[in-house]
Amino acid sequence: MAPATIICVGMAGSGKTTFLQRLNSHLHTKKEAPYVINLDPAVLKVPFGCNIDIRDSVKYKKVMENYNLGPNGAIVTSLNLFSTKIDQVIGLVDKKSDKFKHCIVDTPGQIECFIWSASGAIITEAFASTFPTVIAYIIDTPRSSSPTTFISNMLYACSILYKTKLPMIVVFNKTDVRDADFAKEWMTDFEAFQNALRTNSELNDETSNGSGYMASLVNSMSLMLEEFYSTLDVVGCSAYTGAGFDEFLDAVDSKVEEYNDYYQKERERIIKEKEEKEKEAKQKQLSHLMKDLGLGKKEPVDTLSDAEDEDDGYEHGLVEPDINEPQREYTFAEDRNGEIDENNKQVQEVYQKAFEKNSKVAKSDVAETIANYIRQQR
């Protein structure tokens, strides 16, 4: 059975790396050591052992210096450079896939550098096309206690789901600081969320963000997200205490089954449809090329030769050629080439003057000029 790949994404400061460290430790405790991959090129220290580390292949600071980039640009460029070797990464993971059940992947803290970049899509697609892949979206629970912040996180989760087209688990991290029951209730009970939004708007303090326009917008968004919530598995975890990780692994197993039943078939359908469109486009281009080169099928056109073949009596007005016609002989020598020399020019000038004056040239002048020309030719 292919190992499950867990790609951890989340906003900066949500605790992705700490969550991954605790998950790694939890799996080691269960004697199920995972295969660990770090894709954050800017991190200074990683609190877990990595089987594959992007920092071994790409030097983040060198990228900044060589390409004159800022922090985010250097992260994207590092991922671009690393994604060119993703086939080798997949090969290494596949080679040892019989020794582990989970492959966990840590991503950069700047979520947009991974989710919305071409390299992030390439890496995600590479894993998803080979192994059952699950997206774990890590959320900072204490900072999501406001309804507006909560909806913002849910909208971002929705965009990630439709961007990656992969099963997703929403992980409310840091439950040791704030329990995630309120968030689970807001996702299942619309009236509870409306009450919280109304209360938050009435407070109108620095943490409420509850203006009338914002409250109306958030209320509308919550109605739209109600169907989206039904496709998610929600888990509350604490990377500090280790609570909730058994529940998270159960959710991963559930999403792997969902991947095999629905997502894999959908992905195969999309890939097949894409291949058919590419084949059709190539065939169309080939047809245009054949037509331009005149190699395509054409309707027969009547020609003179066809008419001759059909009628030997030349009834279509064609003149029968004379088979006894002698071959033509050239009057001038082969080396003449029809050029005009100086003497010949004199003859032409005489006739040209006669034409311009619209009068006849004296016969004696013409005869003398022609005689001179003939004598010189001899």
Side-chain angles (χ1 to χ4, degrees):
M1 184 177 179
T5 300
I6 306 170
I7 301 178
C8 296
V9 298
M11 300 291 184
S14 60
K16 294 186 302 300
T17 303
T18 310
F19 173 85
L20 208 70
Q21 185 271 336
R22 176 60 70 174
L23 178 61
N24 181 38
S25 177
H26 186 78
L27 290 172
H28 273 282
T29 303
K30 298 179 67 174
K31 308 298 182 182
E32 298 177 358
Y35 197 89
V36 185
I37 300 176
N38 173 48
L39 295 181
D40 189 354
V43 66
L44 294 178
K45 292 183 179 180
V46 179
F48 47 80
C50 297
N51 297 91
I52 298 177
D53 195 335
I54 188 175
R55 298 177 300 170
D56 296 335
S57 304
V58 183
K59 302 301 180 183
Y60 172 71
K61 291 186 177 180
K62 288 292 183 181
V63 171
M64 291 182 67
E65 294 175 2
N66 294 339
Y67 297 96
N68 297 321
L69 297 172
N72 287 354
I75 291 175
V76 173
T77 304
S78 298
L79 286 172
N80 291 341
L81 294 172
F82 186 77
S83 64
T84 59
K85 305 294 183 182
I86 190 61
D87 57 329
Q88 299 180 17
V89 175
I90 298 298
L92 291 173
V93 177
D94 188 39
K95 186 177 181 180
K96 299 183 178 180
S97 59
D98 58 337
K99 298 180 181 179
F100 56 88
K101 294 183 179 180
H102 299 90
C103 174
I104 54 179
V105 182
D106 191 18
T107 59
Q110 289 74 6
I111 185 173
E112 67 279 0
C113 294
F114 182 80
I115 292 297
W116 303 111
S117 65
S119 55
I122 291 171
I123 294 170
T124 304
E125 289 289 330
F127 278 105
S129 61
T130 310
F131 310 106
T133 305
V134 179
I135 302 294
Y137 181 55
I138 314 300
I139 296 177
D140 189 336
T141 306
R143 293 184 179 179
S144 300
S145 57
S146 168
T148 53
T149 310
F150 172 81
I151 284 294
S152 298
N153 272 303
M154 291 299 102
L155 287 173
Y156 212 99
C158 180
S159 64
I160 293 173
L161 177 67
Y162 286 100
K163 176 68 169 63
T164 59
K165 296 181 176 63
L166 292 171
M168 176 181 287
I169 302 173
V170 176
V171 180
F172 286 95
N173 195 19
K174 305 180 183 180
T175 54
D176 55 294
V177 179
R178 176 71 185 271
D179 196 275
D181 290 341
F182 74 93
K184 295 179 181 179
E185 184 181 11
W186 288 352
M187 295 177 70
T188 55
D189 189 348
F190 176 70
E191 292 182 358
F193 180 79
Q194 279 188 322
N195 292 332
L197 180 62
R198 192 179 304 110
T199 303
N200 199 52
S201 299
E202 291 174 354
L203 292 175
N204 196 22
D205 57 14
E206 294 181 356
T207 60
S208 66
N209 296 325
S211 64
Y213 174 78
M214 180 61 71
S216 176
L217 177 63
V218 171
N219 190 27
S220 301
M221 291 295 101
S222 62
L223 286 172
M224 183 273 294
L225 292 173
E226 187 175 3
E227 183 178 355
F228 166 67
Y229 294 150
S230 62
T231 64
L232 300 177
D233 280 9
V234 183
V235 179
C237 293
S238 173
Y240 181 73
T241 63
F245 278 85
D246 285 329
E247 184 182 357
F248 173 77
L249 291 175
D250 292 339
V252 170
D253 294 338
S254 174
K255 287 300 179 183
V256 168
E257 294 179 0
E258 183 179 330
Y259 174 90
N260 293 328
D261 293 339
Y262 301 102
Y263 284 83
Q264 188 176 20
K265 294 179 181 179
E266 180 66 15
R267 292 178 68 82
E268 290 175 354
R269 184 191 67 79
I270 293 173
I271 292 174
K272 185 178 180 180
E273 183 179 346
K274 184 178 180 181
E275 290 176 350
E276 290 177 355
K277 287 183 178 179
E278 290 178 352
K279 184 178 179 181
E280 183 179 350
K282 289 181 180 179
Q283 185 64 34
K284 187 179 294 185
Q285 292 177 359
L286 181 60
S287 300
H288 285 304
L289 179 61
M290 295 287 285
K291 185 177 180 181
D292 293 340
L293 295 176
L295 300 177
K297 294 182 178 180
K298 295 183 178 180
E299 296 182 358
V301 179
D302 292 338
T303 62
L304 295 180
S305 60
D306 294 335
E308 292 174 3
D309 293 337
E310 292 176 359
D311 296 297
D312 295 334
Y314 298 93
E315 296 178 356
H316 296 278
L318 302 179
V319 179
E320 183 177 2
D322 187 359
I323 58 175
N324 297 319
E325 181 181 358
Q327 294 183 352
R328 295 184 179 88
E329 295 181 359
Y330 293 98
T331 306
F332 300 102
E334 295 181 357
D335 57 349
R336 298 303 299 168
N337 296 326
E339 71 273 9
I340 300 175
D341 56 11
E342 293 297 327
N343 295 322
N344 201 358
K345 284 183 179 180
Q346 294 177 5
V347 177
Q348 288 187 351
E349 288 175 358
V350 173
Y351 283 99
Q352 183 65 27
K353 291 179 180 178
F355 177 78
E356 291 176 353
K357 294 180 179 179
N358 196 16
S359 61
K360 295 182 179 181
V361 180
K363 291 183 180 180
S364 59
D365 294 339
V366 175
E368 183 180 357
T369 304
I370 294 174
N372 292 333
Y373 175 76
I374 294 173
R375 283 196 296 271
Q376 290 178 6
Q377 294 300 319
R378 290 178 181 176

